[in-house]
Amino acid sequence: MQYKLSPSILSADFYKLGEDIRQTEENGAEYLHFDVMDGVFVPSISFGMPVLASIKPLVKQVMDTHLMITEPIRYVEAFAKAGADILTIHYEACEDVRATLEKIRECGMKTGLSISPDTPVEVLREFLGEVDMFLIMTVHPGFGGQKLIPETLDKVRELRGMLNERGLETDIQVDGGIYASNIKDALDAGANVIVAGSAVFKGNPGENTKELMEIIKNYE
């Protein structure tokens, strides 16, 4: 199983965004996480296609795009055009989850499916083997800098168990409240793609990325 770090630019200083992103790439972060919020599915509003499109040509990182928006099927083509490599949607935000996932595949992107902390992991069972990555939110979606909800790691364990039963090595991503102090807990639970926002961009992004990557590499 491959372990990845996906720094979330939601916590970045946009005044020096380009330089900070370069530091994460130079220090081993293969993914870059975009939290897209619409003010409807979640209370906050963040950023959209123009930010993604402006960054895409400048880095080699995987554009790991997380849509926290209602009926994301409306914007799948636009995010594909902007340069998204992985497009993750929320189970709770789609009238037809399968149709949305199929649209993502048709547009040439990898598929991701996320659940919020209040949603039982069992709803993902019918999608085993159909998506490239599951995202277990370890905080309530909508705001950066929150504290990890410990019970959400039980969902990661349960999901990894479900995948193991089927002989699947599907990626499990966790997002929310991950720091150097608890990243190993997420890895132990079965996650292999780690989103980190404040832990990367508050302070020195290069040094912070290096520290997190060392933990991940030592875990492997």
Side-chain angles (χ1 to χ4, degrees):
M1 185 177 297
Q2 293 186 321
Y3 293 85
K4 310 284 187 183
L5 178 66
S6 189
S8 172
I9 66 168
L10 185 67
S11 298
D13 180 352
F14 275 66
Y15 182 74
K16 51 190 183 73
L17 181 61
E19 175 56 31
D20 286 356
I21 288 173
R22 276 191 289 273
Q23 288 188 49
T24 71
E25 185 174 29
E26 290 169 1
N27 284 281
E30 296 180 40
Y31 285 21
L32 194 63
H33 194 78
F34 294 79
D35 284 308
V36 181
M37 307 177 186
D38 65 355
V40 179
F41 178 63
V42 294
S44 295
I45 296 173
S46 58
F47 40 74
M49 290 80 76
V51 173
L52 176 59
S54 68
I55 293 170
K56 174 71 173 181
L58 304 178
V59 298
K60 296 180 181 179
Q61 290 164 300
V62 173
M63 300 292 102
D64 172 26
T65 308
H66 177 196
L67 301 187
M68 287 177 273
I69 66 176
T70 300
E71 289 305 326
I73 195 169
R74 299 173 295 154
Y75 295 102
V76 170
E77 291 182 10
F79 275 100
K81 188 176 294 185
D85 296 304
I86 304 171
L87 202 63
T88 297
I89 59 171
H90 267 263
Y91 174 87
E92 305 91 349
C94 300
E95 184 175 337
D96 190 332
V97 174
R98 274 204 170 81
T100 310
L101 293 171
E102 181 57 33
K103 183 76 170 178
I104 295 170
R105 282 189 288 267
E106 287 175 0
C107 289
M109 295 174 287
K110 289 188 175 182
T111 55
L113 183 58
S114 179
I115 57 171
S116 298
D118 293 336
T119 302
V121 73
E122 185 64 29
V123 304
L124 299 178
R125 185 179 293 276
E126 64 176 299
F127 301 100
L128 298 183
E130 295 185 24
V131 302
D132 297 294
M133 182 175 74
F134 291 106
L135 167 53
I136 303 296
M137 290 298 299
T138 44
V139 298
H140 292 285
F143 298 97
Q146 298 183 67
K147 186 177 180 181
L148 182 144
I149 302 169
E151 293 77 18
T152 58
L153 294 184
D154 293 333
K155 293 186 177 185
V156 176
R157 293 184 188 92
E158 185 178 350
L159 178 57
R160 182 57 72 191
M162 289 161 55
L163 290 166
N164 288 342
E165 287 173 5
R166 294 274 300 272
L168 298 170
E169 292 191 358
T170 308
D171 289 338
I172 298 179
Q173 183 176 77
V174 287
D175 182 0
I178 305 291
Y179 294 88
S181 59
N182 61 10
I183 188 173
K184 191 172 181 297
D185 294 335
L187 297 170
D188 286 343
N192 67 300
V193 183
I194 307 295
V195 176
S198 299
V200 169
F201 289 107
K202 301 305 181 187
N204 185 312
E207 289 301 316
N208 292 339
T209 300
K210 184 178 180 181
E211 179 184 12
L212 294 171
M213 286 302 304
E214 284 178 356
I215 297 172
I216 290 171
K217 287 177 181 177
N218 289 334
Y219 190 85
E220 294 182 60

